[in-house]
Amino acid sequence: MYYESFSQIKKMLGQLTTLLDKAEAYAKEKSFEPNLYLGFRLAPDQFALARQVQIACDTAKLGASRLTGKEAPSHADNEQTLDELRARVRAVISYLDGYSEKDFEGSATRTVTQPRWEGKVMTGKDYFLEHVQPNFYFHLSHTYAILRHNGAPVGKRDYLGALSQRMP
Amino acid sequence: MYYESFSQIKKMLGQLTTLLDKAEAYAKEKSFEPNLYLGFRLAPDQFALARQVQIACDTAKLGASRLTGKEAPSHADNEQTLDELRARVRAVISYLDGYSEKDFEGSATRTVTQPRWEGKVMTGKDYFLEHVQPNFYFHLSHTYAILRHNGAPVGKRDYLGALSQRMP
């Protein structure tokens, strides 16, 4: 289940690069600087796009790491361009590519914590359901919302990607 | 797994009513009509808040229904006020309260379809991972984004709700 859920998260990270590609193409078409998108935000006191992408990436990366006990690579949060943001996303996809189903054995009952919880812990199962998934999709959707609010012609299909459909 | 995931979805629907409550209180504080929120949107050609809430509700309701073969109640998409939207959300929570773990036995391998797929099908497992979860969180996060963009003092904790944390 966790392995399949992280496969889905990887797919969504791939869609995130598509969203950024479309925003870049739109900026070029409209003759504005594409990297301006990194600073766009929906409210003055909400994170701008670059931070939304960084947190989506970290939620995926640290989610897998904390559920398995495997080391996660560190990223400096210093991306200044769409190219650098896409490289960050691709680095996380690569990192998740290194996971196998076996890595997640016992994840549901694993004890998970992080510094900001001030000593409190969660089970892996609760952490994944209540924290990783809602946060990952929150920051991914906010990235989409910021792009859409600022003209990028992204649509639900760009967000969802191809579905595993077949004729019966 | 599905049962637990829908418990999480129910929790998030409860948080959605909290988000709407906070927006209403903010509107009253600022002396504007709270129900204006239903028509706010992030882009001229994107769904307004009311539709975002309706789709989040339907994704949850139809997701459970299609994964189990149980009937889902129908809703007319005619909400005009925050009160009516909250009632819609609560109706879906009540509906999901009627599910037990046993209802989801065999859901992963169940064949799922819907009219707009033009005859194509998905397994329950793929449908839940690739369609229900990303869509549910997309429309919930967009509801949050529209509120936040329009001044409502909602924060990440209002979105996530309480986490199942404990001292070790």
Side-chain angles (χ1 to χ4, degrees), chain A residues 42 125 130 135 149 156 164, chain B residues 42 130 135 149 156 164:
Chain A
L42 295 176
K125 185 167 92 172
E130 299 177 14
N135 274 317
H149 180 61
K156 182 64 88 62
S164 302
Chain B
L42 295 176
E130 300 177 15
N135 274 318
H149 180 61
K156 181 64 88 61
S164 301

Side-chain angles (χ1 to χ4, degrees), chain B residues 83-96:
Chain B
D83 274 343
E84 288 171 359
L85 272 187
R86 279 182 293 243
R88 167 80 169 260
V89 175
R90 280 192 288 264
V92 176
I93 294 173
S94 283
Y95 170 67
L96 295 176

